[in-house]
Amino acid sequence: MDRGDTSMLDALKGILPEHTIDLLQDHIQNPQTAIHALWRQTLSLANKLASLLSPVFAPLLARALQALHDSPDVVVLAFLLGVFVLALQLVAFVHRTMMYVTRLAFRLLGWALVFAILAVVWRRGPEAAVRDVVVFISKLAGYGAVVRDIWWSEYQRFDAQTKRGGGTGQRAPSGGYSRSRDGSW
């Protein structure tokens, strides 16, 4: 057990129960456990594999590094391509985050509206809530009728002006740029 492991256990002494710390010392930090044996075997296999493949890959790596050294344009192009891809990934991340937050906000707003309606129905009772909805819809329909009447009267006024050739002080339909009667601009 090295010093880093014991300092870690010393830091955990006030947090974990004593039997848990004993369990950690007995089973995880013991060099005779299966975890440590597996780790040693893996390191040994990796070292053997590296020493076996080193003569094969060392010349290939040296040639690749020499080719990159001889043509710096490829390195610059690869760097610019990497920066571009990184920028696109950043923009995509920001877009996904904004879409998630917007979707979450609208879902929260929808559920808040549902709960507000339920609270109004609970507080006022079903009959009064239905009466309030009917009154609101009738006021909305009345407002819509007023807007429709205003729009219809303005449409008729415009139609009458265009049929009689425009009124005094009116601009031509072409935006004010029309020929005069004598044919000049």
Side-chain angles (χ1 to χ4, degrees), residues 34-166:
I35 293 174
H36 285 281
L38 184 62
W39 179 253
R40 282 192 303 270
Q41 288 293 330
T42 306
L43 282 179
S44 172
L45 182 64
N47 285 335
K48 286 179 185 177
L49 188 63
S51 64
L52 186 69
L53 294 178
S54 177
V56 174
F57 285 112
L60 293 175
L61 184 63
R63 283 187 196 161
L65 289 175
Q66 185 62 36
L68 287 177
H69 183 267
D70 291 343
S71 61
D73 294 341
V74 174
V75 175
V76 171
L77 185 64
F79 177 74
L80 289 176
L81 184 65
V83 168
F84 181 69
V85 167
L86 182 67
L88 283 179
Q89 291 295 322
L90 185 65
V91 167
F93 171 73
V94 169
H95 179 262
R96 283 191 311 267
T97 304
M98 287 175 48
M99 292 303 293
Y100 171 75
V101 169
T102 304
R103 190 178 323 117
L104 181 66
F106 277 110
R107 282 185 181 171
L108 287 174
L109 183 67
W111 282 111
L113 183 64
V114 167
F115 286 125
I117 289 170
L118 287 175
V120 166
V121 169
W122 182 269
R123 181 152 175 100
R124 301 220 358 122
E127 296 86 13
V130 169
R131 187 177 30 219
D132 290 343
V133 168
V134 168
V135 167
F136 177 74
I137 290 175
S138 65
K139 295 277 186 187
L140 197 61
Y143 177 72
V146 168
V147 169
R148 185 200 60 205
D149 291 341
I150 291 171
W151 183 84
W152 185 249
S153 67
E154 289 297 318
Y155 175 75
Q156 286 179 338
R157 188 169 63 103
F158 176 75
D159 192 37
Q161 286 177 355
T162 55
K163 284 183 180 175
R164 69 173 182 249

Side-chain angles (χ1 to χ4, degrees), residues 6-18:
T6 56
S7 66
M8 178 72 79
L9 287 177
D10 291 340
L12 291 175
K13 278 190 181 181
I15 300 170
L16 295 175
E18 190 66 35

